[in-house]
Amino acid sequence: MKQIDLLLAEKLLRISAIKLQPTLPFVWASGWNSPIYTDNRRTLSYPDVRNFIKVQLSRIIMENFGDAEVVAGVATGAIAQGALVADTLNLPFVYVRSTPKDHGLENLIEGNIKPGQKVVIVEDLVSTGKSSLKAAQAVKDAGGEVVGMVAIFTYEFPVATQAFEDAGVKLLTISNYTAMIQAAVKTNYIKESDIETLHQWREDPEHWVPAGMTID
């Protein structure tokens, strides 16, 4: 039986939720050059992939964070999947904004968390971990107890691994960079010669410069 992380990686590549361009890198909003671009919102348009993700996130939560009382989605990418998971588990749902709303009650968290409630956070993508852990802190500030975080995909950046460890937040994901590379090679999405380029980027994504590119 194929491993779940490999199976999802193949699905994400197939629907272009993950795109790989080792020789023609993308530029992220942070300004970083990257041979990979991930947009898990695309999964919502494919019922088979969407439902696969919903089921697997729900399974991970039931197996590892079974005492969770509330599901919190991280805006905006994880709002839809978080709501689907909460519905599957028959749990209350809230979502966490990146910044407080600029009018009305100026909420940072939409929905209701009661003090002391155990909360599991749903994220769509983990890169450096900064925005994910910022959401976790917002839940704590609202009185919730963060029992863990689940995500669709992680780049497995060393900086993120350290950040989650320092914050004391357990992160579990359906798929990851390692599985994605295996799936990409197996399906001939990339060549074996591209692997070293992708690994160099993952080790230091902030400073990575593709071969042949110079920075003024």
Side-chain angles (χ1 to χ4, degrees), residues 3-146:
Q3 292 177 241
I4 290 173
D5 56 354
L6 285 170
L7 186 57
L8 179 58
E10 289 178 4
K11 292 177 183 291
L12 296 177
L13 289 166
R14 173 172 57 82
I15 66 171
S16 296
I18 294 178
K19 295 183 180 181
L20 301 177
Q21 295 182 182
T23 59
L24 186 64
F26 304 95
V27 178
W28 285 0
S30 61
W32 294 4
N33 293 302
S34 173
I36 303 175
Y37 186 77
T38 303
D39 181 8
N40 286 324
R41 294 175 181 84
R42 289 183 66 89
T43 63
L44 299 171
S45 297
Y46 298 83
D48 62 323
V49 183
R50 182 183 69 215
N51 289 328
F52 180 86
I53 290 171
K54 176 189 70 175
V55 168
Q56 295 305 322
L57 289 175
S58 299
R59 176 189 59 79
I60 292 172
I61 291 171
M62 288 188 292
E63 291 178 355
N64 299 274
F65 310 117
D67 57 346
E69 300 170 290
V70 178
V71 175
V74 180
T76 57
I79 292 178
Q81 275 294 349
L84 289 168
V85 168
D87 189 60
T88 300
L89 299 176
N90 195 32
L91 290 175
F93 176 71
V94 303
Y95 70 85
V96 186
R97 295 176 176 273
S98 57
T99 56
K101 190 164 58 175
D102 60 4
H103 61 279
L105 298 177
E106 300 183 349
N107 293 333
L108 183 58
I109 295 178
E110 298 292 355
N112 185 43
I113 296 177
K114 298 176 183 177
Q117 278 190 312
K118 293 178 169 59
V119 181
V120 62
I121 299 174
V122 175
E123 180 65 285
D124 69 321
L125 173 68
V126 174
S127 53
T128 64
K130 288 182 180 179
S131 59
S132 303
L133 290 171
K134 181 180 177 182
Q137 187 59 52
V139 169
K140 294 176 183 178
D141 292 343
E145 177 187 343
V146 177

